Amino acid sequence: MVTIEDVTAAAGRIGPYLRRTPLLPVRCTKTNPFPDGELCLKLECLQVTGSFKPRGAVNKLRSLDGAALARGIVTASGGNHGLATAYAGWLAGVRTAVFVPENVSPDKRKKLAQWGAEVVVHGRHWDEANREALALAAREGMTYFHPFADPAVIAGQGTLALEILEQAPDIDMILVGIGGGGLISGIAVAAKARQPSLRIIGIEPVGAPTLHACLEAGRIVTLPGITTRVPTFAALRTEPINFEIVRRHVERIVLITDEAMSEAARWLWFEMGIAADLSGAAASAALQSGAIRPPAGSRVCALVCGAGPDGLA
């Protein structure tokens, strides 16, 4: 299991390579998805590479010895973790290979190449791309960066909770979008250790209810298929470390549609001037759609975990 000590160590390790992102109150808007309380947005869309992911990738990088780095690094990603791993590889000056599924946007593929990564497109979803990444790691001895089940990655993502609690120590609830479960795992470990009463709510798409299905079954299950068009939310299966942390510390997981995320992305752009990808709009979408209804007077933090042009159209 990942501990609060792992998260605080990660914060010290990654500090020079990451940005402290703003916590923005939602005020002076035409519409407010939570008018009965206080809502703030944690803008990880302004993080290096455009998402929270470098927190985990850089912590993993800084945990490696020279020999592991010299062999190069490899991962599979729906886009954002790949960019974070490419950034880590750029920092270290080592070969970096990133496998992505076919539905990753051309814009993110271009950014991966700009960070110096070798980009390989394979499969319809993350799990298929990941098999090829693991095969390359085994064949050439490269160091594999798991996007959500590596303890170092989870600990790095948990630094986000530490930052939120420094900026808003009286927060009552954090809303977290879920792909494979790395972000919510890290946030849950750190937040519950520092503030046990804090409520952690997860959000998944109807078309990829990965952890929602596991919690309902009481065990890890593999989804029969993926129908969401959000590549960063498209894992067929989580891993035991994520399932156990979520089972222990996350209050519940709600499901939202892709269209709800699109509407929230448009709201973020129109009202707040924030360019979020669909996964980055998920937490706001859960409030707008009514999937989550916090008690009146609550202080709620919604993560904007990734940047993108989805709300600009």
Side-chain angles (χ1 to χ4, degrees):
M1 275 293 150
V2 178
T3 66
I4 185 61
E5 290 76 20
D6 296 323
V7 178
T8 55
R13 219 177 268 128
I14 69 178
Y17 311 100
L18 275 294
R19 300 169 186 155
R20 183 180 176 89
T21 57
L23 192 70
L24 181 66
V26 175
R27 296 174 185 153
C28 307
T29 57
K30 184 178 180 182
T31 60
N32 187 328
F34 183 43
D36 299 326
E38 298 178 27
L39 174 63
C40 58
L41 305 175
K42 179 60 172 170
L43 302 185
E44 282 293 283
C45 53
L46 301 180
Q47 189 52 265
V48 181
T49 75
S51 85
F52 70 93
K53 289 286 192 176
R55 294 177 181 271
V58 172
N59 192 47
K60 173 69 174 177
L61 177 82
R62 300 293 293 168
S63 304
L64 297 175
D65 60 29
L69 273 179
R71 295 193 296 270
I73 59 181
V74 59
T75 195
S77 169
N80 289 337
H81 173 71
L83 286 167
T85 303
Y87 172 64
W90 175 80
L91 286 175
V94 298
R95 179 191 176 197
T96 305
V98 179
F99 287 75
V100 298
E102 296 161 359
N103 61 347
V104 168
S105 71
D107 178 60
K108 286 195 174 175
R109 295 183 205 176
K110 181 180 178 181
K111 286 182 179 179
L112 285 165
Q114 287 175 323
W115 279 110
E118 301 168 19
V119 185
V120 182
V121 180
H122 181 87
R124 294 166 298 163
H125 45 69
W126 175 82
D127 299 79
E128 292 179 353
N130 192 49
R131 282 194 289 271
E132 291 301 306
L134 288 169
L136 178 63
R139 190 166 62 247
E140 301 192 18
M142 299 176 75
T143 299
Y144 172 68
F145 278 33
H146 197 292
F148 54 85
D150 188 304
V153 170
I154 293 171
Q157 317 305 28
T159 64
L160 182 49
L162 299 184
E163 201 168 288
I164 291 169
L165 290 173
E166 288 172 2
Q167 294 168 309
D170 57 352
I171 206 79
D172 297 309
M173 180 184 294
I174 302 177
L175 308 182
V176 188
I178 300 174
L183 175 60
I184 199 168
S185 296
I187 284 177
V189 166
K192 286 293 189 178
R194 289 288 174 86
Q195 192 170 308
S197 63
L198 202 156
R199 301 170 66 191
I200 310 296
I201 311 292
I203 301 108
E204 290 184 317
V206 171
T210 313
L211 272 153
H212 186 275
C214 294
L215 293 177
E216 281 202 332
R219 58 183 176 83
I220 294 177
V221 298
T222 301
L223 298 178
I226 297 286
T227 59
T228 181
R229 68 176 189 275
V230 186
T232 48
F233 276 179
L236 285 170
R237 179 183 172 91
T238 191
E239 295 293 337
I241 187 171
N242 308 105
F243 173 66
E244 187 58 28
I245 292 172
V246 169
R247 186 186 66 80
R248 289 186 185 186
H249 296 305
V250 174
E251 180 175 315
R252 63 192 173 104
I253 295 172
V254 301
L255 302 180
I256 57 173
T257 64
D258 288 5
E259 182 51 38
M261 285 184 272
S262 294
E263 288 183 17
R266 291 190 288 269
W267 175 83
L268 284 166
W269 178 246
F270 175 77
E271 293 278 21
M272 308 298 293
I274 295 167
D277 66 8
L278 294 182
S279 62
S284 299
L287 289 169
Q288 279 188 309
S289 66
I292 296 172
R293 299 181 186 276
S298 297
R299 291 150 295 192
V300 177
C301 175
L303 300 188
V304 183
C305 56
D310 294 300
L312 276 59

